[in-house]
Amino acid sequence: MEIHILRLGHRLPRDERISTHVALVARAFGAGKITYCGQHDSGLEDSISRICARWGGDFAIEYSSSYKKVISQYKKHGYSLVHLTMYGLPVQDVLSKLKLEEKILLIVGSEAVPGDVYESSNYNVSITNQPHSEVAALAITLDRICSGAELEGIDFGGKIRIKPSAKGKEFV
Ligand code: SAM
């Protein structure tokens, strides 16, 4: 399954860290690309590109000034739109349908998400109906969709790799 991410409403400086974490979680858990909207942030792009250069993988980051354009392009290319929101249907209730999709665009917000995102999405999905974080919502959704396969270790082919150890830090 191909999974891309749309991060809405990036705000500088407020979202610098959290958008970086959204992108890092997306990459580490097997998504292929993140598009972010809101304010353009070359620092965000540079830090994700540096991680990819060092730790490997084909992950891409792109900016778009229009989430509406991103959504319509992804729809045109046959992606199913899955918007993560505390108001949506519990992930466990829609998971069997999500697993059947071949291409998914996972959408996460920052501040209040415009109503048309709820309307255009094929699924509005919640990870509990409590307010928390886009990073947690994304991580749990990717883990559920991939049934934990990402924990078995995706081969990123990076310049550095960690050798898991009970104590200390080991690199290969
Ligand atoms: N007051 C904001 C609102 O309601 O739009 C809260 C935004 S929240 C900090 C940022 C993003 O985290 C949301 O747009 C959503 O994508 C995600 N999120 C937060 N809680 C969630 C939940 N329980 N289930 C799914 N996604 C959630």
Side-chain angles (χ1 to χ4, degrees), residues 3 34 89:
I3 303 180
I34 184 167
L89 298 176

Side-chain angles (χ1 to χ4, degrees), residues 84-87 108-113 125-128 130-134 137:
L84 300 183
T85 164
M86 64 180 173
Y87 303 104
V108 294
S110 50
E111 52 188 350
V113 172
V125 174
S126 60
I127 306 295
T128 78
Q130 300 297 317
H132 50 83
S133 145
E134 47 274 54

Side-chain angles (χ1 to χ4, degrees), residues 4-9 35-37 62 64-84 104-109 113-124:
H4 288 188
I5 313 297
L6 171 59
R7 188 331 183 233
L8 301 171
T35 304
Y36 73 99
C37 297
E62 193 175 287
S64 172
S65 58
S66 166
Y67 74 84
K68 287 180 197 256
K69 270 192 199 154
V70 178
I71 283 179
S72 90
Q73 283 298 318
Y74 270 95
K75 279 201 159 182
K76 212 182 279 172
H77 287 98
Y79 281 73
S80 188
L81 267 54
V82 179
H83 170 221
L84 300 183
I104 286 181
L105 179 68
L106 278 177
I107 305 172
V108 294
V113 172
D116 61 334
V117 174
Y118 291 78
E119 287 302 317
S120 349
S121 295
N122 302 89
Y123 306 89
N124 288 290

Side-chain angles (χ1 to χ4, degrees), residues 1 89 93-102 104 123:
M1 185 195 294
L89 298 176
D93 293 356
V94 292
L95 191 58
S96 55
K97 286 186 187 159
L98 298 186
K99 284 184 173 191
L100 295 176
E101 301 288 351
E102 281 176 14
I104 286 181
Y123 306 89

